């Protein structure tokens, strides 16, 4: 067959052609209105990183929490001062969320060059993507064109939309798959985000003291006892004592998988991956092959950051990320 015909057929059936367009996003969205946007975000993230190398962790968790509650629409950045209304951010499931103000800072920089063009939702996704790369992880291509919500989400929506800290594998597969068609392999890869950052005792209390706590096998028991000693039930240090989620919490690498195979997974799901027959071989593969992890993480990240996006006139470009227009 003629090569051009093959090329045409490949193009016709290629999933990449559809990707990023079915949901109204595109890779060249700002090419006319703000061609510098990606460089500005990258420069800002580099500068934040040099003053605080834990920045990528904060922003990566932030984008997940934004997307998980009403879609990737910048809602988690809102700070609505209203004593009678509990907002999304007030959900205890957002405990530990840090550095929301950095997105406003990046927005300010962008708006001096291309005022009122770039949404907070897009800036947040780009900043998270850049944080991953700056910390040593993969460079991920991200389609753009998300708009910001004009309607704040409630505390209740966040309570329901964000995962419980002891969510199990069955539930996690189900939720992620229903939301954005994420595969089991991608679930294991996206939780590799826990290669960055840390958890407070608070994040472990359901694992350590909850009613549906799974009894940990062999080498994990000792570790769990150590965690219980360090984080006593309802202890005064719940919101102060922290643990790194893997031994290299500033590097986006595959040490998370090595660590959980050693029975040192902190969040329940982290620990479960390493012992569940459905996931353990994927964990072993990622522990041995960082490139494989990076590849699957990238496709999972691209999927979760298109969750429930608002495009066209369904949303707005906010003037300030923390307040509605
Ligand atoms: C779905 C199940 C998940 C559960 C149960 C979970 C739970 C947690 C908990 C309890 C913490 C500690 C928070 C604290 O005490 O400050 C944490 C931190 C973190 N999570 Fe997750 N997470 C999940 C999924 C994800 C996903 C999908 C991502 C990103 C794509 C992510 C990224 C992070 C990051 C980067 C941190 C460190 C934050 C920091 O150091 O400030 N997590 N997670
Ligand atoms: C997983 O969690 C769900 C609730 O979220 C529960 O109904 C189910 O029984 C749990 N499955 C296992 C295997 O523990
Ligand atoms: C666990 O069970 C006890 C007794 O049944 C109950 O009082 C408590 O609220 C439960 N804790 C959680 C976290 O569900």
């Amino acid at each position: 067959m003629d090569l051009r015909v093959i090329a045409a057929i490949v193009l016709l059936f290629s999933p990449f052609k559809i990707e990023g367009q079915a949901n109204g996003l595109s890779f060249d969205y700002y090419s006319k209105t703000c061609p510098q946007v990606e460089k500005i975000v990258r420069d800002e993230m580099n500068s934040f990183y040099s003053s605080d190398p834990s920045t990528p962790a904060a922003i990566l968790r932030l984008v997940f929490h934004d997307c998980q509650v009403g879609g990737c629409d910048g809602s988690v950045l809102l700070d609505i001062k209203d004593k009678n209304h509990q907002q999304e951010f007030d959900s205890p499931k957002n405990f530990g969320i840090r550095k929301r103000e950095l997105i406003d800072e990046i927005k300010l920089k962008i708006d001096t060059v291309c005022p009122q063009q770039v949404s907070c939702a897009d800036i947040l996704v780009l900043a998270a993507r850049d944080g991953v790369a700056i910390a040593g992880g993969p460079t991920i291509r991200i389609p753009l064109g998300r708009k910001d919500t004009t309607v704040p989400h409630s505390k209740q929506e966040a309570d329901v939309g964000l995962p419980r800290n002891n969510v199990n594998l069955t539930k996690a597969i189900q939720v992620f798959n229903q939301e954005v068609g994420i595969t089991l392999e991608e679930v294991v890869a996206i939780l590799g985000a826990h290669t960055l950052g840390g958890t407070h005792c608070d994040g472990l209390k359901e694992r350590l003291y909850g009613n549906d706590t799974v009894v940990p096998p062999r080498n994990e028991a000792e570790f769990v006892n150590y965690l219980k000693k360090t984080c006593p039930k309802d202890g005064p240090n719940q919101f102060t004592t922290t643990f790194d989620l893997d031994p290299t919490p500033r590097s986006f690498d595959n040490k998370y998988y090595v660590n959980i195979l050693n029975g040192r997974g902190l969040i329940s799901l982290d620990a479960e991956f390493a012992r569940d027959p459905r996931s353990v071989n994927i964990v072993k593969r990622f522990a041995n092959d960082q490139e494989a992890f990076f590849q699957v993480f990238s496709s999972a990240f691209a999927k979760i950051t298109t969750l429930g996006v608002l495009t066209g006139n369904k949303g707005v470009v906010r003037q300030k990320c923390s307040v509605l227009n």
Side-chain angles (χ1 to χ4, degrees):
M1 205 188 292
D2 187 313
L3 266 184
R4 277 165 307 179
V5 176
I6 297 177
I9 292 172
V10 168
L11 261 183
L12 207 63
F13 292 103
S14 164
F16 298 108
K17 204 166 168 282
I18 301 156
E19 181 199 312
Q21 296 187 1
N23 48 27
L25 304 177
S26 60
F27 288 101
D28 58 357
Y29 187 79
Y30 294 111
S31 65
K32 297 216 167 62
T33 54
C34 196
Q36 311 90 325
V37 63
E38 297 199 27
K39 178 171 170 11
I40 299 172
V41 176
R42 180 64 180 244
D43 289 350
E44 286 291 285
M45 283 301 287
N46 268 322
S47 127
F48 297 143
Y49 179 74
S50 56
S51 49
D52 181 356
S54 83
T55 304
I59 305 299
L60 184 54
R61 182 167 182 238
L62 185 58
V63 79
F64 170 55
H65 281 220
D66 185 32
C67 294
Q68 205 58 38
V69 182
C72 312
D73 60 3
S75 58
V76 74
L77 303 170
L78 288 170
D79 249 324
I80 296 159
K81 307 266 186 291
D82 175 358
K83 285 205 182 66
N84 303 317
H85 172 84
Q86 283 197 302
Q87 59 176 326
E88 170 176 351
F89 192 65
D90 295 325
S91 167
K93 292 205 175 148
N94 276 318
F95 175 72
I97 285 285
R98 312 179 284 134
K99 295 187 184 278
R100 291 186 302 163
E101 65 285 356
L102 296 190
I103 305 305
D104 255 324
E105 279 186 46
I106 301 174
K107 167 81 169 165
L108 217 58
K109 272 269 156 53
I110 294 172
D111 278 11
T112 61
V113 181
C114 10
Q116 273 303 289
Q117 299 299 322
V118 184
S119 68
C120 299
D122 270 349
I123 296 171
L124 176 51
V125 173
L126 284 174
R129 174 286 288 268
D130 287 341
V132 167
I134 290 166
T139 299
I140 308 169
R141 265 187 97 214
I142 291 297
L144 300 169
R146 293 165 193 76
K147 291 288 175 62
D148 300 321
T149 183
T150 54
V151 187
H153 303 308
S154 65
K155 171 185 175 292
Q156 286 73 20
E157 277 174 87
D159 288 343
V160 174
L162 293 168
R164 299 169 54 197
N165 287 337
N166 62 344
V167 64
N168 61 35
L169 183 56
T170 305
K171 182 79 180 171
I173 295 170
Q174 194 191 356
V175 169
F176 278 121
N177 190 269
Q178 273 170 7
E179 285 176 350
V180 278
I182 275 192
T183 63
L184 167 62
E185 198 185 34
E186 286 172 325
V187 173
V188 178
I190 199 67
L191 264 290
H194 289 170
T195 180
L196 294 179
T199 178
H200 297 77
C201 283
D202 178 66
L204 304 177
K205 64 174 189 257
E206 286 152 317
R207 172 169 187 209
L208 301 179
Y209 304 109
N211 290 340
D212 50 0
T213 305
V214 184
V215 179
R218 299 184 304 277
N219 63 344
E220 222 179 290
E222 201 186 321
F223 181 57
V224 167
N225 283 335
Y226 154 75
L227 292 176
K228 282 184 168 169
K229 279 215 188 76
T230 317
C231 299
K233 193 170 187 197
D234 304 322
N237 63 339
Q238 276 194 73
F239 304 112
T240 48
T241 299
T242 58
F243 301 90
D244 295 337
L245 287 168
D246 91 348
T248 55
R250 305 286 178 258
S251 300
F252 196 100
D253 56 20
N254 65 344
K255 295 293 185 298
Y256 163 83
Y257 297 101
V258 177
N259 193 52
I260 64 179
L261 283 175
N262 288 335
R264 295 290 179 275
L266 279 161
I267 314 293
S268 324
L269 190 52
D270 302 343
E272 194 181 353
F273 281 147
R275 59 186 177 221
D276 192 290
R278 288 171 291 179
S279 50
V280 67
N281 286 329
I282 303 172
V283 170
K284 285 182 180 157
R285 189 155 75 82
F286 291 162
N288 288 318
D289 182 353
Q290 182 162 280
E291 270 314 304
F293 162 49
F294 281 7
Q295 218 169 56
V296 186
F297 179 85
S298 301
S299 68
F301 183 86
K303 284 184 184 173
I304 67 159
T305 53
T306 59
L307 182 58
V309 292
L310 303 170
T311 54
N313 58 10
K314 296 211 184 77
V316 295
V317 170
R318 224 176 273 151
Q319 277 164 26
K320 200 166 179 293
C321 298
S322 55
V323 292
L324 295 171
N325 285 355

